[in-house]
Amino acid sequence: MVAAGVRAFPAMSILPFFPVRLPRLLWLAAAVCSVAGAADTVLHVPREEVVAEVRRALEANRVRQLEAARDVQAFHDFRFTDRGPESGLNFHMQPVDDGARDYKAVHYDHGTALAAADVDGDGRVDLYFVNQLGGSQLWRNLGGGKFENITQRAGVGLSDRIAVGASFGDLDNDGRPDLVVTTVRQGVTVFRNRGEGRFEDVTAASGLNVGRPGHGSGVVLWDFDRDGQLDVFLCNVGVYTGNQKGRGGFHLGLVDAFQGWMFPIRSEASPLWRNAGQGRFENVSQATGLVHRGWSGDATFCDLNDDGFPELYVLSMSGEDRYYDNQGGKRFVDRTAATFPKTPWGAMGVKFFDYNLDGRMDLFVTDMHSDMTGRQINAGETNLTAAFEKAKSDVWCSAEWTPLNRQRATNCILGNAFYENRGPDGFVEVSGQIGTETYWPWGLTVADLNADGFEDVLVTAGMGYPLRFAVNSVLLNDGGRRFVDTEFVLGVEPRRGDPVERVAFELDASGADSRHPLARGQSGRVTVMGAASSRSSVAVDLDGDGDLDLVTNEWNDRPQVLISNLAERTELRWLQVKLVGTASNRDGLGATVRVQGNSRTFTRFHDGKSGYLSQSALPIYFGLGGETAVKRVEVTWPSGRRQTVEGPVALNGVLTVMEPR
């Protein structure tokens, strides 16, 4: 079983083509350990000695993080423990062959969503895991951290779809969360919640699939025109597949998929659909001027000018992001240059939140593709040092970037961006000062993990097979001054079981896979190991103890169900606010909620954004830190109405606020 020796195979068969050549170590990852002719062989990709070095580096980082934690003022004497096997959640994300057995550098490896909502009205939050092959799954929360699979009963499996993104929201204002799922070239699916955890496919009646289906990704549910109904903005990536199909019916990825952004003919529009009522939607992109084209994986919204009409921030995974100003719910104007003069070049995750409790919404954007095309790595090194992973990408002094690539990125940040909202002075990019750079990041889940009132961030990361491992980062908010890396301190890393590797796929070297590059010279079963990596995530109180737990949707693996013991380690004070709109949309998406304690005011914008490619229908969680009372709760509804709930408000429970009629 344990392999020895090194055998190389053609690198292009594993890493065909990025817009630029990959750094040398990533090419060297194509070297694998094997025993020629063995009947039962294990191959490690990257090679076994690189994996061993990664393990050593992770341990060194753990020791450094624990030492550095002595200077962290924010409470961190608690831990997360992965209770995935005990939870009953045995969903396994299954990638298409282009992301595993026949790996090529194509956008399939961006993974799939995880969305959360109480779908059956029992007061517990349920989880919807999106899949590429084998169908997506809905898991009902039984309480106490236990789940059961209700996919078949619910009717939301989509076993014939290569699904990507998912968002819960009450599209018809009947008090039940509906579900919208995006796919690769198979259109959008709209599920109406009929109650008791059962859904009806109403896609045909919705009109959302008028036109040619694109390469769908994230979907945003929001009320852009303040008519009290949720509208839909659909992110389309661009043409990264051809018409030939592989196993499971997926469209095979183009060999030069990651060059697609350079060719206008391969771009796809990301349409805006207005909710016209009665379950019907109409495309209003042209009518509103929101004609967005770009390699966009996700987007979000926020009312930054306090006029009640939310603006839209759209990511680009290969080029500049776009920020659209909402003018009275009738027109959108591109205000990117005036508001965010430099944006990340390869953006993947996005979230507006108030990190320093000044009452203004700041913006965090993660950048994956700058890391994938920059970060010069020397042959034979793993570069898992904190200095390397906290630095911006270095592409300007590299032959890896062509002159054209450089020209198109002159107005971009080559790494994560954190824009601090300074009111009249606008947004200032401060990622370097406050410690929010990470490596190979996907999306981000923003949540108050230690319930001190300052929201923290989980950044999921890693590429999986055939590249080396990268950690999920937990950025603990240290009093609104900085963010501190604490994934090892809090037990999110190292992972349960093998902290680095997972089974990527298996080959029948004596049969159907005999011509596969990794099967050459082998016989019998060949198990190929690749790096563990995560994609989407959500923060929710799974066990009802008042603190927030974390769940991830892994790449080609089972979820992590990370249960927090914070409630056992400190005197917990918190409040959840559940909004019920009347003139506004039923979920209250687009509302601003302020909770005033004795000495501090905590502000949240209700966007439902929960990790990569997802929106969730959840109450708004406020950790209260040392506050012993809540004097009042103020809600600015999307309708423009302002409502105040005078205290004292009971702590450690859910406050339901219904918009006055």
Side-chain angles (χ1 to χ4, degrees):
M1 289 289 292
V2 179
V6 175
R7 177 175 61 85
F9 55 88
M12 290 296 286
S13 67
I14 295 297
L15 302 173
F17 208 76
F18 269 73
V20 295
R21 295 194 314 273
L22 286 172
R24 291 184 64 189
L25 178 63
L26 305 189
W27 292 105
L28 289 173
V32 298
C33 299
S34 67
V35 177
D40 195 1
T41 305
V42 176
L43 305 180
H44 299 271
V45 182
R47 64 185 187 271
E48 203 165 15
E49 56 266 36
V50 172
V51 174
E53 179 57 29
V54 167
R55 296 182 194 278
R56 288 191 289 270
L58 289 178
E59 175 59 19
N61 284 349
R62 185 188 70 84
V63 172
R64 280 195 297 268
Q65 231 178 67
L66 291 174
E67 292 176 351
R70 299 171 184 172
D71 298 325
V72 177
Q73 296 181 31
F75 183 78
H76 56 274
D77 186 20
F78 68 105
R79 291 181 65 83
F80 292 91
T81 302
D82 186 359
R83 301 296 187 194
E86 295 88 341
S87 72
L89 267 167
N90 63 3
F91 168 78
H92 193 293
M93 187 273 169
Q94 183 179 351
V96 298
D97 286 343
D98 273 0
R101 189 196 69 173
D102 305 323
Y103 181 84
K104 62 179 67 167
V106 67
H107 300 73
Y108 281 119
D109 65 12
H110 288 184
T112 55
L114 164 60
D118 178 6
V119 301
D120 54 4
D122 66 356
R124 295 187 290 265
V125 175
D126 312 299
L127 301 174
Y128 184 70
F129 293 89
V130 180
N131 209 357
Q132 289 182 352
L133 292 178
S136 301
Q137 293 182 6
L138 178 62
W139 287 78
R140 179 172 178 257
N141 189 341
L142 300 175
K146 304 290 185 181
F147 290 83
E148 67 170 341
N149 188 343
I150 62 168
T151 307
Q152 185 173 1
R153 184 178 77 206
V156 293
L158 295 176
S159 59
D160 61 340
R161 308 291 175 90
I162 311 301
V164 184
S167 290
F168 280 111
D170 192 349
L171 298 176
D172 53 8
N173 290 329
D174 67 352
R176 296 186 291 262
D178 307 304
L179 176 63
V180 180
V181 183
T182 65
T183 69
V184 178
R185 296 181 62 173
Q186 296 169 296
V188 177
T189 301
V190 183
F191 290 107
R192 180 176 179 268
N193 190 332
R194 297 167 51 200
E196 298 181 347
R198 299 176 187 272
F199 290 78
E200 175 187 5
D201 188 337
V202 295
T203 308
S206 74
L208 278 171
N209 276 336
V210 175
R212 182 180 179 181
H215 295 72
S217 192
V219 59
V220 178
L221 307 183
W222 61 324
D223 183 7
F224 79 88
D225 55 0
R226 288 176 54 181
D227 67 352
Q229 300 180 107
L230 290 179
D231 311 300
V232 175
F233 180 77
L234 170 64
C235 294
N236 280 321
V237 176
V239 179
Y240 60 80
T241 67
N243 292 326
Q244 185 179 355
K245 292 187 177 182
R247 294 192 303 177
F250 79 98
H251 289 84
L252 295 178
L254 298 173
V255 173
D256 62 347
F258 275 90
Q259 283 186 313
W261 64 275
M262 301 174 66
F263 306 104
I265 195 173
R266 294 197 199 172
S267 69
E268 292 177 331
S270 293
L272 174 64
W273 298 84
R274 178 181 174 272
N275 190 334
Q278 304 300 314
R280 295 286 301 174
F281 292 81
E282 58 183 1
N283 190 325
V284 293
S285 297
Q286 293 289 339
T288 61
L290 186 56
V291 182
H292 178 84
R293 301 184 75 90
W295 289 67
S296 302
D298 215 345
T300 194
F301 65 99
C302 191
D303 181 14
L304 293 182
N305 56 12
D306 296 323
D307 67 352
F309 292 94
E311 283 69 52
L312 184 69
Y313 190 99
V314 188
L315 303 181
S316 173
M317 59 183 67
S318 298
E320 292 178 83
D321 298 341
R322 285 287 178 262
Y323 172 72
Y324 295 101
D325 180 50
N326 186 342
Q327 302 192 331
K330 300 182 184 303
R331 298 284 299 175
F332 287 88
V333 177
D334 188 336
R335 300 290 191 200
T336 311
T339 314
F340 302 100
K342 287 183 178 293
T343 72
W345 183 82
M348 281 295 166
V350 61
K351 174 70 176 179
F352 283 99
F353 69 108
D354 177 16
Y355 91 99
N356 55 4
L357 302 189
D358 65 359
R360 296 187 288 260
M361 293 298 112
D362 311 297
L363 176 63
F364 189 7
V365 180
T366 57
D367 180 334
M368 161 64 78
H369 284 156
S370 290
D371 286 344
M372 289 303 302
T373 58
R375 299 287 183 110
Q376 294 312 289
I377 304 176
N378 297 320
E381 296 181 5
T382 54
N383 277 294
L384 274 166
T385 64
F388 174 78
E389 298 199 349
K390 301 298 286 187
K392 299 296 183 193
S393 295
D394 179 11
V395 302
W396 304 116
C397 60
S398 166
E400 308 293 348
W401 273 59
T402 67
L404 179 60
N405 284 344
R406 297 181 186 185
Q407 181 181 355
R408 295 188 181 193
T410 54
N411 203 42
C412 292
I413 298 165
L414 299 171
N416 295 352
F418 197 103
Y419 302 97
E420 183 178 306
N421 187 341
R422 296 185 178 173
D425 295 328
F427 287 89
V428 178
E429 205 287 303
V430 296
S431 60
Q433 295 95 302
I434 65 174
T436 55
E437 189 60 54
T438 61
Y439 190 57
W440 283 354
W442 295 104
L444 54 153
T445 288
V446 173
D448 189 356
L449 300 180
N450 59 0
D452 67 350
F454 293 92
E455 290 190 288
D456 314 295
V457 185
L458 168 69
V459 183
T460 55
M463 285 298 302
Y465 173 87
L467 306 180
R468 62 95 158 162
F469 176 81
V471 299
N472 289 337
S473 297
V474 178
L475 304 177
L476 196 67
N477 190 332
D478 199 10
R481 298 176 296 274
R482 60 170 182 161
F483 289 87
V484 183
D485 297 291
T486 55
E487 57 271 8
F488 290 101
V489 177
L490 300 182
V492 171
E493 298 285 358
R495 305 181 185 203
R496 181 171 180 165
D498 189 325
V500 173
E501 285 192 303
R502 299 290 184 270
V503 174
F505 52 90
E506 291 188 345
L507 299 172
D508 179 6
S510 299
D513 302 312
S514 60
R515 294 188 178 184
H516 192 282
L518 293 178
R520 293 172 188 168
Q522 309 293 336
S523 62
R525 185 186 66 178
V526 176
T527 300
V528 181
M529 305 296 294
S533 64
S534 305
R535 294 297 183 269
S536 193
S537 57
V538 66
V540 61
D541 182 4
L542 292 180
D543 50 6
D545 64 354
D547 57 34
L548 292 177
D549 310 301
L550 297 169
V551 184
T552 66
N553 193 359
E554 297 292 291
W555 174 254
N556 197 10
D557 199 7
R558 290 198 169 104
Q560 294 185 80
V561 182
L562 298 163
I563 302 299
S564 172
N565 70 347
L566 177 68
E568 303 170 9
R569 304 295 298 173
T570 187
E571 184 180 355
L572 203 59
R573 299 184 184 91
W574 54 276
L575 178 68
Q576 291 192 56
V577 177
K578 178 178 174 58
L579 300 179
V580 180
T582 55
S584 303
N585 67 86
R586 183 65 177 253
D587 291 322
L589 288 173
T592 297
V593 181
R594 297 176 177 87
V595 171
Q596 183 175 337
N598 290 321
S599 59
R600 287 177 171 169
T601 299
F602 309 97
T603 305
R604 305 279 191 268
F605 180 79
H606 187 38
D607 58 3
K609 190 66 185 157
S610 63
Y612 179 54
L613 302 174
S614 311
Q615 267 181 291
S616 294
L618 299 172
I620 310 167
Y621 183 90
F622 292 84
L624 299 174
E627 301 294 322
T628 58
V630 170
K631 293 183 176 180
R632 66 181 58 87
V633 175
E634 299 175 351
V635 180
T636 303
W637 292 93
S639 65
R641 297 176 180 177
R642 297 179 182 271
Q643 181 179 4
T644 300
V645 178
E646 295 291 348
V649 175
L651 305 187
N652 296 2
V654 179
L655 173 68
T656 299
V657 181
M658 179 173 286
E659 183 180 17
R661 297 183 183 274

